[in-house]
Amino acid sequence: MTDRRDFLKLASLSMLPLMDGMAAEAKQPKKYSGKVMVITGATSGIGEATARAFADQGADVYFCGRRKNLGEQVESSIKKKGGQAHYIQTDVRDEKQVDAFFSQIFKKTKKIDFAFLNAGIAPLPTPLHKTSTHDMQDIMNTNFYGVVYSMRKVLPSMMEQKSGVILISSSMGVRRVINWESIYSGSKMALNALIQHGAQEYRKYNIRCVGLEPVGVRTPMLERHAQFLKLPIEKLGNPATGRLIEPSEIADLVLNLCEGDNCRLINGMSLDLSEGGSNELIFFTKKSPSKTTS
């Protein structure tokens, strides 16, 4: 009995350094504790994954989207895991709703450290001559003007604190021709100009503007395209690698891009996230997409 007690005592003593290390690690502040992140279009897909990632790292996350039920579910899920999240139903096409979104944010916080302007739509592939004026305006109002409205609300706060990172969801369509999506691609090209000007005009305030050009991300939006084309969603993966990119991969990149000194050189550019496949041309047809190399 004595030998057994001695053994247990020695074993417990040997565990003390490990337990101390675990306790110290638990006490360390998370990467973005005390920071505020605002995300538009975060009720699903890339935006949702990014909201979860920043909440996991201690950020206070404010996000919007049109679908109230999904937004409330994401908020509740984040809070159950101990994160800070605030969903505010907003349609970024409506400038007054965007103003109201940010007014509610500034009632609760005096600053915004990071903004991920991700809200956007990608209509089903349609030839230009068959695209209605309503649909064209809807694309531009969501993908371009929704970002402009949001930037105008974010910038004064960042200018005052002399720091901030604005990330904007662009698209592979700015580098490659995608048949039947000319208006969508045009809306994203307009964003790339906005990113370049934003970086130059607000650099003196230590504000960075960076775009992201993902391709083949497993999202509800891509699923709708797959159904329209009557294809498995896997067929619409990254043309360079043939795989689907997970939303969490984009979220991890956003986490890293918001680091201050480590990413200072990344400003005024839109990052090609095609894993080296930016020279691929994708032609969608309703029967089957074919791929050629330029």
Side-chain angles (χ1 to χ4, degrees):
M1 181 66 70
T2 302
D3 291 344
R4 184 170 181 274
R5 287 176 178 173
D6 289 343
F7 170 77
L8 291 174
K9 183 177 180 180
L10 287 171
S12 62
L13 288 173
S14 67
M15 291 291 291
L16 285 177
L18 177 61
M19 294 172 66
D20 288 342
M22 293 173 63
E25 183 178 349
K27 291 180 181 178
Q28 289 181 353
K30 294 184 177 180
K31 187 173 186 177
Y32 289 124
S33 294
K35 301 294 186 180
V36 175
M37 165 57 111
V38 173
I39 308 175
T40 63
T43 56
S44 65
I46 293 172
E48 177 189 351
T50 305
R52 294 183 182 280
F54 272 82
D56 286 346
Q57 288 299 324
D60 196 3
V61 179
Y62 293 83
F63 69 99
C64 71
R66 288 185 285 182
R67 295 169 294 180
K68 185 177 181 180
N69 289 341
L70 288 180
E72 290 176 343
Q73 289 172 20
V74 173
E75 176 186 323
S76 176
S77 176
I78 290 174
K79 288 181 174 178
K80 284 180 181 178
K81 293 182 179 180
Q84 301 178 79
H86 316 270
Y87 168 69
I88 301 168
Q89 186 179 23
T90 306
D91 184 342
V92 298
R93 295 173 298 183
D94 185 338
E95 184 179 2
K96 291 182 179 179
Q97 289 193 41
V98 174
D99 289 347
F101 172 55
F102 283 96
S103 293
Q104 291 187 60
I105 293 173
F106 287 122
K107 286 179 181 178
K108 298 179 180 180
T109 181
K110 298 299 182 184
K111 66 168 186 173
I112 295 174
D113 297 288
F114 318 120
F116 182 28
L117 308 182
N118 173 70
I121 59 172
L124 296 175
T126 306
L128 177 60
H129 70 282
K130 292 185 178 180
T131 304
S132 69
T133 300
H134 174 273
D135 287 346
M136 287 190 286
Q137 292 174 340
D138 198 33
I139 294 167
M140 293 302 298
N141 287 338
T142 306
N143 294 357
F144 180 68
Y145 286 108
V147 172
V148 173
Y149 299 152
S150 299
M151 282 186 71
R152 291 197 307 192
K153 305 303 290 187
V154 166
L155 282 167
S157 172
M158 292 183 173
M159 290 166 66
E160 183 176 348
Q161 67 202 29
K162 290 184 169 54
S163 67
V165 181
I166 299 173
L167 296 120
I168 297 174
S169 285
S170 184
S171 168
M172 66 173 179
V174 303
R175 296 178 186 268
R176 276 160 287 182
V177 173
I178 307 175
N179 271 9
W180 303 357
E181 296 198 8
S182 55
I183 305 302
Y184 169 77
S185 296
S187 71
K188 295 299 185 176
M189 287 181 177
L191 286 182
N192 280 17
L194 193 66
I195 291 161
Q196 293 171 6
H197 282 267
Q200 181 173 335
E201 294 168 15
Y202 296 96
R203 182 172 50 207
K204 62 183 178 182
Y205 297 101
N206 195 31
I207 298 171
R208 291 190 292 116
C209 295
V210 182
L212 305 177
E213 298 171 8
V215 51
V217 183
R218 191 192 302 272
T219 64
M221 187 181 294
L222 193 68
E223 181 64 44
R224 288 193 294 273
H225 277 65
Q227 291 173 359
F228 172 77
L229 297 168
K230 297 182 179 179
L231 291 168
I233 190 172
E234 289 75 16
K235 293 290 186 180
L236 301 183
N238 186 345
T241 63
R243 76 178 185 93
L244 285 170
I245 296 173
E246 298 300 328
S248 60
E249 295 179 71
I250 309 298
D252 287 342
L253 177 61
V254 175
L255 278 173
N256 291 321
L257 287 171
C258 286
E259 290 188 17
D261 293 340
N262 291 339
C263 292
R264 185 177 297 172
L265 298 180
I266 302 177
N267 191 19
M269 62 188 73
S270 192
L271 303 178
D272 179 355
L273 306 184
S274 68
E275 299 179 276
S278 60
N279 64 327
E280 301 287 339
L281 297 179
I282 304 174
F283 296 93
F284 287 153
T285 66
K286 194 162 185 179
K287 293 182 179 179
S288 64
S290 60
K291 181 179 70 174
T292 63
T293 305
S294 61

